[in-house]
Amino acid sequence: DGVLAPIRQGLAELWDELKQWLNEHRKAIAQSLLALLFLSLLAAAWRLLREARPGIWLRTRLDYLRFGILAGHAPGNAGARQYYSALERLLDLEGVERALTANAREHLAQICRHFAGLRPESVEFTLLFERARYGDGTLLQSDLHRMRALYRQIFRRLRQMP
């Protein structure tokens, strides 16, 4: 016991100093722990929102309201581009993100790989878009009506899938 007495006394003094320091800085420690808790909750919420992607979910619903229900598209080829962009966002939400370098046909192949049941609608939709994007003329109003109908079908069928 005699040999360890100075070590015990030194540890006791350190312990007393630590308790005194903790007592003096209790408020600052509590605030720091609360800030750390808040930051960890914020980081967790950010990761959850990034995974759940509520922004793109909301945008797809507004797209459906605007284009699918209200038919609020621009006339001609600009309307076709609007429909195609809305479809891209919808498919992105479903996990089929279009690569920046992919053209419409490559994106179509990607859609068909993920959603084979949407092949007929997706092919017709893409052909109409390509005609607007790469063709010489302007799409007719009837073509835009068809794109609207196809967009609505794809939207509804994606919502029914598990």
Side-chain angles (χ1 to χ4, degrees), residues 62-75 79 82-83 141 144-149 151-152:
L62 292 173
D63 282 344
Y64 187 76
L65 175 66
R66 180 179 174 198
F67 301 125
I69 295 174
L70 301 176
H73 56 79
Q82 287 176 327
Y83 275 115
Q141 192 65 22
L144 287 173
H145 287 303
R146 183 62 187 149
M147 285 188 86
R148 177 178 178 235
Y151 174 74
R152 290 173 60 128

Side-chain angles (χ1 to χ4, degrees), residues 7-113:
I7 295 174
R8 279 192 199 140
Q9 184 181 359
L11 287 175
E13 288 174 8
L14 283 173
W15 179 248
D16 289 338
E17 288 176 20
L18 177 63
K19 287 193 306 188
Q20 181 184 355
W21 184 87
L22 287 172
N23 219 9
E24 291 172 2
H25 297 92
R26 182 182 318 180
K27 186 176 179 181
I29 293 169
Q31 288 173 341
S32 297
L33 288 174
L34 283 173
L36 184 61
L37 177 66
F38 177 74
L39 286 174
S40 64
L41 287 174
L42 190 63
W46 178 76
R47 292 187 72 182
L48 177 65
L49 291 177
R50 199 172 118 216
E51 192 67 31
R53 300 163 39 163
I56 196 166
W57 180 89
L58 180 61
R59 179 72 193 267
T60 59
R61 280 14 185 208
L62 292 173
D63 282 344
Y64 187 76
L65 175 66
R66 180 179 174 198
F67 301 125
I69 295 174
L70 301 176
H73 56 79
N77 295 352
R81 286 192 298 275
Q82 287 176 327
Y83 275 115
Y84 195 77
S85 294
L87 182 67
E88 282 180 335
R89 285 187 290 275
L90 179 61
L91 292 168
D92 183 24
L93 182 65
E94 297 295 327
V96 182
E97 188 174 350
R98 180 180 178 190
L100 293 175
T101 58
N103 62 32
R105 292 283 170 111
E106 292 166 340
H107 190 228
L108 174 62
Q110 189 180 14
I111 295 167
C112 293
R113 274 194 306 275

Side-chain angles (χ1 to χ4, degrees), residues 126-145:
T126 302
L127 290 175
L128 286 167
F129 169 73
E130 284 182 331
R131 210 167 84 215
R133 177 86 172 146
Y134 306 115
D136 290 336
T138 302
L139 281 188
L140 301 172
Q141 192 65 22
S142 60
D143 294 328
L144 287 173
H145 287 303

Side-chain angles (χ1 to χ4, degrees), residues 110-124:
Q110 189 180 14
I111 295 167
C112 293
R113 274 194 306 275
H114 283 84
F115 303 109
L118 295 177
R119 181 181 209 78
E121 295 93 343
S122 301
V123 168
E124 186 178 355

